[in-house]
């Protein structure tokens, strides 16, 4: 089975975790897009959504699914999103689609984070996928030098501007043995908006699409 088929199966499988009357946080990316397709089939049963990107907002609205302003919401029942890597503690690297900051905000509001991935994303140690960092543009070179000291190779993602008007540095060649400590360390560098490590707020459940069906990791 191809990777997109696995993403589709796992995206649709998240639907059963969405209870009637829920406020739903919606992630970004190709797997989350399948979840939006599924969510459209129960759109009259939910209160609405909070979206993590302009692209997901556009897709949600195209289905007539209500999208609420994040500032008008105290908490969400559930947040459903993909990941670039996930370890067995359900800590993740996210931000391949440059939506990491809004993803972190929306997931922080959620009582439950359901991560939807195909099996290629499950790893023992995070870091093979380059770690995205959203940075304010004027701090790019300074932050890159600070990140270099951590032992990785920061590379400017050319031509990408985030929904918040910022830029992305991807750190290559990192072996992330202590995800929570690294998340805190990178977040403390002036000019960093968000690091794409989701370790302090990890997923509660991972749904993993495999060739033998969707498996649940807790
Ligand atoms: C976007 C993300 C995505 O969840 C991540 O990149 C996975 O994307 P896809 O489902 O397309 O493989 O973090 O910022």
């Amino acid at each position: 089975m191809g990777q997109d088929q696995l993403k589709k199966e796992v995206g649709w499988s998240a639907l059963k975790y969405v209870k009637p009357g829920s406020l739903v946080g919606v992630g970004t990316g190709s797997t989350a897009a399948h979840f939006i397709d599924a969510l459209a089939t129960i759109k009259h049963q939910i209160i609405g959504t909070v979206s993590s990107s302009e692209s997901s907002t556009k897709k949600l609205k195209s289905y007539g699914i209500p999208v609420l302003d994040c500032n008008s919401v105290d908490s969400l029942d559930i947040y459903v999103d993909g990941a670039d890597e996930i370890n067995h503690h359900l800590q993740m690297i996210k931000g391949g689609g440059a939506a990491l900051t809004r993803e972190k905000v929306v997931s922080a509001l959620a009582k439950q984070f359901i991560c939807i991935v195909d099996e290629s994303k499950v790893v023992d140690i995070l870091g093979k996928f380059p770690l995205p960092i959203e940075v304010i543009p004027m701090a790019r070179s300074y932050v890159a030098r600070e990140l270099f000291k951590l032992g990785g190779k920061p590379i400017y993602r050319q031509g990408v501007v985030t929904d918040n008007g910022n830029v992305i540095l991807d750190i290559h060649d990192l072996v992330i043995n202590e995800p929570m400590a690294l998340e805190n360390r990178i977040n403390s560098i002036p000019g960093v908006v968000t690091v794409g490590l989701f370790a302090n707020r990890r997923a509660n459940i991972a749904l993993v699409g495999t060739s033998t069906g969707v498996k649940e990791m807790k």
Side-chain angles (χ1 to χ4, degrees):
M1 203 182 296
Q3 191 185 26
D4 194 56
Q5 188 56 31
L6 294 179
K7 288 182 178 191
K8 184 174 178 182
E9 284 193 6
V10 80
W12 280 77
S13 75
L15 203 57
K16 63 176 178 289
Y17 294 84
V18 181
K19 304 289 174 237
S22 290
L23 264 175
V24 183
V26 177
T28 297
S30 54
T31 318
H34 288 301
F35 171 67
I36 296 173
D37 293 335
L39 195 61
T41 65
I42 59 158
K43 66 179 179 186
H44 298 300
Q45 295 175 32
I46 61 170
I47 295 175
T49 61
V50 172
S51 169
S52 61
S53 64
E54 299 298 334
S55 62
S56 288
T57 298
K58 195 168 162 204
K59 190 169 170 76
L60 288 160
K61 286 188 171 168
S62 76
Y63 276 122
I65 301 173
V67 181
L68 306 173
D69 181 345
C70 193
N71 290 304
S72 70
V73 163
D74 290 333
S75 73
L76 297 165
D77 297 292
I78 190 168
Y79 177 68
V80 181
D81 196 2
D84 299 301
E85 280 185 352
I86 184 163
N87 68 16
H88 297 279
H89 302 289
L90 307 193
Q91 298 167 316
M92 297 156 283
I93 287 181
K94 294 184 42 55
L100 60 162
T101 299
R102 295 190 190 193
E103 292 173 339
K104 215 172 243 198
V105 173
V106 182
S107 65
L109 284 167
K111 292 176 195 146
Q112 195 179 36
F113 185 152
I114 309 278
C115 180
I116 47 175
V117 288
D118 68 85
E119 60 192 341
S120 70
K121 308 283 187 73
V122 181
V123 298
D124 291 328
I125 295 178
L126 298 170
K128 199 162 178 203
F129 189 92
L131 177 63
I133 322 280
E134 180 166 352
V135 177
I136 64 169
M138 60 78 77
R140 191 186 87 216
S141 299
Y142 167 71
V143 173
R145 287 195 296 276
E146 291 299 301
L147 294 174
F148 195 71
K149 292 179 193 163
L150 299 176
K153 204 160 46 137
I155 302 204
Y156 173 39
R157 204 184 292 180
Q158 296 277 351
V160 171
V161 177
T162 70
D163 287 348
N164 314 306
N166 296 314
V167 297
I168 300 282
L169 295 170
D170 294 300
I171 318 184
H172 293 248
D173 303 333
L174 270 184
V175 178
I176 304 176
N177 287 314
E178 294 183 69
M180 283 163 71
L182 187 67
E183 182 178 5
N184 296 339
R185 170 79 186 83
I186 295 176
N187 270 336
S188 73
I189 300 171
V192 168
V193 178
T194 308
V195 52
L197 257 178
F198 287 58
N200 289 288
R201 201 288 177 249
R202 61 193 187 93
N204 301 98
I205 294 174
L207 300 175
V208 182
T210 78
S211 49
T212 53
V214 174
K215 309 233 156 95
E216 190 182 88
M217 276 166 58
K218 271 188 190 175

